[in-house]
Amino acid sequence: MYPIIEFCVSNLASGAQEALERLERDPNLDIIEYGCLGHCGRCSSNLYALVNGEVIFGDSTDELVEKIYKFIDEYQMF
């Protein structure tokens, strides 16, 4: 089972789209887009994604992708 990474469409429009596209290149990840993930306060201030239900955020695309992979590595989800 691959890690599930969920993105809010509103956050994608705010800049997380590049992170999603980079992560989609990894065949060991399942990427899902939702209309809303219910984290509106976080969504309006940071780029973020849910990784197996845990909120991961970053101030930039690079930071978000790096934190997602770090989280996955720390919890040995592969």
Side-chain angles (χ1 to χ4, degrees):
M1 183 170 165
Y2 297 127
I4 298 170
I5 303 178
E6 302 167 271
F7 284 93
C8 171
V9 171
S10 294
N11 201 252
L12 293 174
S14 297
Q17 181 68 36
E18 183 181 335
L20 177 139
E21 290 170 2
R22 288 169 54 186
L23 294 167
E24 281 184 325
R25 294 182 201 130
D26 188 333
N28 297 309
L29 301 175
D30 287 330
I31 310 295
I32 302 171
E33 296 176 39
Y34 288 102
C36 179
L37 292 172
H39 295 275
C40 300
R42 172 79 60 203
C43 188
S44 67
S45 62
N46 292 98
L47 304 180
Y48 86 100
L50 297 182
V51 180
N52 285 356
E54 295 293 323
V55 177
I56 307 297
F57 63 93
D59 292 324
S60 69
T61 300
D62 290 336
E63 183 180 20
L64 178 60
V65 171
E66 180 181 316
K67 284 184 171 184
I68 288 171
Y69 277 116
K70 182 178 180 184
F71 182 83
I72 291 168
D73 288 343
E74 286 178 2
Y75 292 94
Q76 300 177 7
M77 294 181 180
F78 280 106

